[in-house]
Amino acid sequence: VTLVGPGGVGKTTLARAAAQALSGENPDGGWFVELAPLAPEGVAAVDVCKAIAMALHLPEEAAQSVDALAEAVRPFALLLVLDNAEHLREPVAEVVAALLVRAPRARILVTSQAVIGLPGEAVLALRPLALPAAPEAADDVDALHQAPALQLFVQRVAEKLPGFTLSHRHA
């Protein structure tokens, strides 16, 4: 499964929540692999293998090739979350294709701003939350509270500033 959408839309948050929700269905756990640190220039499938092997605490030999990684992962029933794959679509597609064939008990969830392009790839497109319309009058702050984007914003601010509420001044 690939979660796609613009940056900041919540792909990583949703992937982490899915991994936690599915933890009981994956006896060998859910594993998060951050791909953003890999520079796009010159990155090959083996570099993606290294990132995965490191996250899974596999022996160094597992990171030497796509085949070695697939063989090392084969016995595990796990969820592998590959986060921020948009700049590495080709090498990620190569690794994921091998894992899907050679490690059938592994589930793979990818987050990306673009589709990876694998045959049979299930894509869930995320869209930004709806923004509020500008209030017509200062008394129209209540209408702002109905917008999902603003609700999330207020929630996040309140996590950092306990007691925060949206006021006429903020609007």
Side-chain angles (χ1 to χ4, degrees), residues 5 22-23 41-42 64 82 90 92 99 107 111 132 144 147 166 168:
L22 295 171
S23 63
E41 297 83 26
Q64 300 304 311
L82 304 177
E90 288 181 22
V92 167
L99 290 174
R107 294 178 178 184
T111 71
L144 292 176
L166 186 66
H168 291 284

Side-chain angles (χ1 to χ4, degrees), residues 2-168:
T2 303
L3 298 177
V4 297
V9 79
K11 298 178 296 291
T12 299
T13 300
L14 181 58
R16 286 185 186 273
Q20 183 155 5
L22 295 171
S23 63
E25 297 179 30
N26 299 289
D28 296 308
W31 300 86
F32 192 84
V33 182
E34 177 56 63
L35 298 175
L38 297 177
E41 297 83 26
V43 172
V46 70
D47 298 304
V48 175
C49 291
K50 288 176 184 174
I52 294 170
M54 185 183 308
L56 293 174
H57 308 290
L58 295 172
E60 195 173 310
E61 302 82 50
Q64 300 304 311
S65 69
V66 174
D67 290 337
L69 178 68
E71 189 61 29
V73 173
R74 186 174 52 82
F76 299 113
L78 55 77
L79 174 63
L80 189 59
V81 177
L82 304 177
D83 191 40
N84 292 306
E86 56 273 349
H87 65 296
L88 305 169
R89 290 172 41 207
E90 288 181 22
V92 167
E94 183 180 339
V95 172
V96 169
L99 290 174
L100 290 174
V101 171
R102 307 232 351 243
R105 296 175 58 210
R107 294 178 178 184
I108 302 170
L109 178 60
V110 177
T111 71
S112 177
Q113 292 182 22
V115 174
I116 299 303
L118 286 169
E121 179 178 13
V123 177
L124 176 60
L126 301 181
R127 292 186 172 87
L129 296 174
L131 294 170
E136 296 296 322
D139 295 334
D140 202 16
V141 174
D142 291 338
L144 292 176
H145 284 280
Q146 303 306 311
L150 193 62
Q151 291 171 1
L152 180 60
F153 174 77
V154 170
Q155 177 187 348
R156 293 293 190 253
V157 172
E159 289 171 3
K160 300 292 182 189
L161 300 171
F164 175 83
T165 58
L166 186 66
S167 70
H168 291 284

